[in-house]
Amino acid sequence: MDRHIRAESDGDPIVDPSQDYTLLLGYENVTHTVIRFKRNLETCDSKDDFAITNDTMRVIFMYSREKPAKGSTLPGTLPGPLEAFKGSRSVFLTQRTNQHALPNSASLGILELRNEDVELPESDESLYWCKIFKLDDFHQKHHLVRYEPVFDSSTSVLYLNHMLLYECQGLSDELENLSRQRGQPCFQLQSMHCNTVVANWARGSDHQGLSKEGRKLHFPPQRAVVLVGVTITPSARLMKSDKSRTV
């Protein structure tokens, strides 16, 4: 049933006057409850519905151990909305990739920037971890054609909320020294000239069954990013990661 919650309500979902969802199937077993439905991307119900776009969507859900009475439509008929479990996920509902795998070529190289041995805090608080990487192994101009997030296991991605990769201006002695360290909490890092975002990944881009190709950022052939090397301008990258035990 199509419902919504108003900002001034007590958390009890109200039945939407415009029923814009179509139930396709529903079943439950000893461990799961599955509901499949469909809805137009734009329902024209701007009062009670959000348009579904290819942006990251915040899906909010709520469930209870008690079952609602069949056909419950009146306010207050759902079991304990204030005590029910509430959660959310950031997901791509519509975006799909049509990008092809890169061909095998001797001219293509891979540069991996990895965090190592980062321990999560015992609490549910987020850990903002910063690591400086020095880029000085290139002796001629290169072109970046793709960014791709790398995870050491299928479970590690569950504890990562987002990653940001910044370009640093020049290579000062301080950046040089920091590049030799394993990283540190971002609040301990003094202000650096690393302000230009060159890549961004957020939780949700792997959901909805996206293949590994769907997690990669490809640059069009005519818009590849130039990466210069040590003989021209030594540079560095700052990677900022937001991790937490909350999944």
Side-chain angles (χ1 to χ4, degrees):
M1 183 170 291
D2 191 353
R3 295 174 180 259
H4 61 272
I5 297 178
R6 298 194 184 279
E8 67 277 6
S9 72
D10 60 357
D12 190 358
I14 305 170
V15 176
D16 196 328
S18 176
Q19 292 292 300
D20 299 306
Y21 288 79
T22 301
L23 180 64
L24 300 179
L25 65 87
Y27 65 88
E28 63 179 359
N29 53 33
V30 294
T31 59
H32 292 77
T33 298
V34 177
I35 300 174
R36 183 176 297 172
F37 56 88
K38 67 178 181 178
R39 197 208 83 172
N40 290 336
L41 300 181
E42 175 58 74
T43 64
C44 298
D45 183 7
S46 59
K47 181 180 179 182
D48 298 319
D49 288 341
F50 286 97
I52 297 175
T53 68
N54 63 354
D55 293 330
T56 302
M57 306 293 294
R58 191 72 168 172
V59 176
I60 303 173
F61 54 89
M62 178 177 73
Y63 60 85
S64 172
R65 292 182 178 275
E66 301 179 38
K67 293 183 178 181
K70 186 176 182 180
S72 301
T73 59
L74 297 177
T77 55
L78 291 180
L82 295 179
E83 293 78 26
F85 177 84
K86 303 176 181 67
S88 63
R89 283 289 184 272
S90 296
V91 297
F92 284 140
L93 293 177
T94 62
Q95 184 164 322
R96 292 293 184 269
T97 179
N98 56 0
Q99 300 162 339
H100 302 290
L102 294 176
N104 293 325
S105 172
S107 63
L108 291 176
I110 297 176
L111 172 65
E112 289 193 356
L113 308 179
R114 286 178 174 264
N115 284 316
E116 296 184 6
D117 302 325
V118 179
E119 295 184 3
L120 293 176
E122 293 296 331
S123 65
D124 290 337
E125 295 182 359
S126 293
L127 170 66
Y128 293 90
W129 189 261
C130 285
K131 174 73 173 77
I132 296 290
F133 298 89
K134 179 183 176 182
L135 306 184
D136 62 352
D137 294 329
F138 304 104
H139 300 284
Q140 61 183 359
K141 183 185 295 185
H142 285 68
H143 291 83
L144 287 175
V145 296
R146 183 172 75 193
Y147 281 105
E148 175 186 357
V150 178
F151 307 104
D152 59 2
S153 70
S154 59
T155 56
S156 62
V157 65
L158 299 176
Y159 301 99
L160 186 64
N161 297 318
H162 70 262
M163 292 186 293
L164 286 167
L165 186 65
Y166 295 87
E167 179 180 347
C168 303
Q169 301 300 318
L171 187 64
S172 63
D173 292 340
E174 187 174 8
L175 284 174
E176 175 90 30
N177 293 331
L178 287 171
S179 68
R180 300 191 184 101
Q181 301 176 15
R182 58 184 294 269
Q184 57 189 297
C186 294
F187 72 88
Q188 297 178 1
L189 193 66
Q190 296 182 357
S191 178
M192 301 286 176
H193 296 290
C194 306
N195 303 314
T196 303
V197 177
V198 294
N200 181 14
W201 178 92
R203 180 189 290 184
S205 61
D206 292 0
H207 290 191
Q208 302 302 310
L210 283 182
S211 65
K212 191 175 182 181
E213 282 296 317
R215 307 171 189 171
K216 303 171 183 177
L217 172 61
H218 295 246
F219 293 103
Q222 68 275 18
R223 293 296 300 273
V225 176
V226 176
L227 181 67
V228 295
V230 64
T231 57
I232 306 174
T233 306
S235 61
R237 296 292 185 269
L238 165 64
M239 185 162 67
K240 182 184 295 184
S241 307
D242 172 16
K243 306 167 182 282
S244 68
R245 290 187 180 274
T246 304
V247 297

